[in-house]
Amino acid sequence: MSQRIFAIVWLILCGIGLYIGWGIQSEFSYEPLGPRPFPIAILSLMALCAFILLFGKQEAIEWPKPYVLRRLVLLILSLVIYAWVFEWLGFPLSTSLLTISIALLFGATPIAAIISGPILGVVLFYAFDKLLDVTLPIGNLFN
């Protein structure tokens, strides 16, 4: 029953997303198709998967253990905080902090997490901003 409830909720969210995505307009044309097809395609695929889940074979559900649920909640909280501080702290610092928190959640040693976080933040910033020419915020904190 929980699979069907999840599928119905996901279909409703996909429908809302499709409605919002259909209204996306760009003030200038930077691609032949514009910005609308990508969200429409992704949401359509998610809706298809929800339909498969809704009408597919139902299996017995085994809920995760409490420590796994706790980690999932911390992961979601980390992602929400990342989105909240992204512009203020900038891409390199906020991505470094997110990488550290996710590494610790997945069992990395604190030293490995503290070393890999800033490296990933700086390398990804350079790759997107300089190599791919995708403008990312450096942060209001550093301006």
Side-chain angles (χ1 to χ4, degrees):
M1 189 65 178
S2 58
Q3 280 182 332
R4 289 197 171 111
I5 292 170
F6 175 77
I8 290 169
V9 170
W10 198 248
L11 278 171
I12 291 169
L13 291 174
C14 286
I16 292 169
L18 285 168
Y19 177 76
I20 293 170
W22 192 258
I24 294 175
Q25 298 292 331
S26 177
E27 301 199 9
F28 57 91
S29 179
Y30 55 89
E31 291 179 359
L33 297 175
R36 186 184 305 168
F38 182 73
I40 298 287
I42 295 297
L43 287 164
S44 298
L45 287 173
M46 289 193 306
L48 176 67
C49 291
F51 271 117
I52 291 170
L53 189 62
L54 182 63
F55 296 114
K57 180 182 174 191
Q58 300 295 313
E59 298 177 9
I61 301 294
E62 184 177 327
W63 286 91
K65 303 205 179 324
Y67 75 93
V68 174
L69 288 175
R70 191 175 330 111
R71 284 185 176 183
L72 288 172
V73 168
L74 288 172
L75 179 63
I76 292 169
L77 185 62
S78 296
L79 291 169
V80 168
I81 291 171
Y82 176 73
W84 184 53
V85 300
F86 185 77
E87 283 190 47
W88 185 66
L89 291 180
F91 181 84
L93 184 57
S94 60
T95 301
S96 298
L97 294 173
L98 178 70
T99 304
I100 291 169
S101 68
I102 290 176
L104 291 173
L105 279 174
F106 279 89
T109 62
I111 294 293
I114 290 171
I115 290 172
S116 65
I119 290 173
L120 188 64
V122 170
V123 167
L124 284 177
F125 179 77
Y126 178 77
F128 279 105
D129 196 54
K130 306 299 182 201
L131 298 177
L132 299 174
D133 204 25
V134 174
T135 306
L136 294 170
I138 193 70
N140 295 337
L141 185 66
F142 300 110
N143 285 336

